Amino acid sequence: NAGVTQTPKFQVLKTGQSMTLQCAQDMNHNSMYWYRQDPGMGLRLIYYSASEGTTDKGEVPNGYNVSRLNKREFSLRLESAAPSQTSVYFCASSEAGFQGGNYNEQFFGPGTRLTVL
Amino acid sequence: GQSLEQPSEVTAVEGAIVQINCTYQTSGFYGLSWYQQHDGGAPTFLSYNALDGLEETGRFSSFLSRSDSYGYLLLQELQMKDSASYFCAVRGLSGGSYIPTFGRGTSLIVHP
């Protein structure tokens, strides 16, 4: 049981290049999320997918797109990378989404450290 | 929108007790949670409070007062391994869903 896995672990891009960050979970969770973390900042939600087939914008979606490929996989795409997107990106999953009365603990992947030059 | 305030840094000695406070502003509040993150690592869940009062999990306890929009994380019998960043997060209503917003984190430094 690997939990949440992310690839790659590190990436350096030039301004204007594109790339896709991959995330997969093996806990049969319905909901998945993408966050970015910058120094001195908390985690900021980029996009989330409450269930397979749905995606919604979070707090900072500009410059990103996502795909919920199936229940296990949720990818984040940078179409034209900018230096402002230099950050650590975390993928997370939870059993259910944010609605409802029960809290659903989020399980985080190890992160992808992205530098855009 | 949502916003949270927590101290940027707290220091304490091994064996002591430390309290990390969190105040929040949110619409449609739906719970306060705490996560721990070691340097270079991923956040891991510590606790969640939906109702007022104290929740205890081993050496860690978390408290919530919804009327004061305030909560805290209490760490007892501090150990060196507790040196990490601690984030509070609230679930607040945004666009029809209760999405989480994280505070900027409190760096806890435990000295021997």
Side-chain angles (χ1 to χ4, degrees):
Chain A
N1 193 335
V4 180
T5 57
Q6 293 182 235
T7 56
K9 286 187 169 53
F10 301 92
Q11 184 70 49
V12 178
L13 293 177
K14 294 180 180 177
T15 297
Q17 287 185 316
S18 63
M19 80 160 295
T20 300
L21 281 64
Q22 306 288 353
C23 174
Q25 52 90 10
D26 62 2
M27 296 173 281
N28 201 35
H29 285 169
N30 289 301
S31 300
M32 298 185 73
Y33 321 92
W34 276 105
Y35 293 90
R36 62 177 288 172
Q37 184 175 36
D38 302 298
M41 304 287 287
L43 295 145
R44 292 185 291 171
L45 185 65
I46 304 171
Y47 271 93
Y48 66 100
S49 171
S51 60
E52 187 179 355
T54 69
T55 60
D56 284 289
K57 295 179 180 179
E59 181 186 353
V60 288
N62 291 344
Y64 305 95
N65 285 301
V66 291
S67 295
R68 183 74 183 267
L69 304 169
N70 47 55
K71 192 171 185 179
R72 290 186 62 250
E73 298 172 288
F74 188 39
S75 63
L76 178 72
R77 183 160 178 84
L78 288 71
E79 291 291 351
S80 179
S84 61
Q85 293 178 305
T86 294
S87 189
V88 180
Y89 292 85
F90 286 101
C91 176
S93 71
S94 65
E95 187 174 336
F98 298 123
Q99 296 173 335
N102 295 320
Y103 181 75
N104 295 284
E105 172 189 350
Q106 292 185 62
F107 294 82
F108 285 82
T112 294
R113 283 146 185 82
L114 175 67
T115 300
V116 183
L117 302 175
Chain B
Q2 282 94 236
S3 67
L4 299 96
E5 292 289 332
Q6 53 181 128
S8 59
E9 185 177 296
V10 173
T11 61
V13 296
E14 211 172 1
I17 299 172
V18 73
Q19 179 174 310
I20 299 173
N21 299 319
C22 176
T23 57
Y24 60 86
Q25 288 185 320
T26 183
S27 54
F29 174 79
Y30 214 172
L32 179 71
S33 55
W34 290 91
Y35 284 79
Q36 178 191 61
Q37 184 180 31
H38 287 98
D39 275 350
T44 56
F45 173 79
L46 289 177
S47 67
Y48 172 69
N49 295 69
L51 302 175
D52 292 351
L54 193 67
E55 295 280 344
E56 298 181 66
T57 309
R59 293 188 298 114
F60 294 1
S61 303
S62 58
F63 172 82
L64 174 65
S65 169
R66 287 173 295 171
S67 61
D68 295 322
S69 298
Y70 164 75
Y72 66 72
L73 180 69
L74 191 74
L75 297 83
Q76 302 182 70
E77 300 172 18
L78 280 174
Q79 301 175 11
M80 297 296 291
K81 68 178 181 179
D82 297 329
S83 291
S85 291
Y86 294 83
F87 296 89
C88 57
V90 293
R91 292 169 68 199
L93 187 60
S94 177
S97 292
Y98 287 92
I99 68 170
T101 299
F102 283 76
R104 296 191 173 203
T106 298
S107 177
L108 172 63
I109 301 170
V110 180
H111 295 288

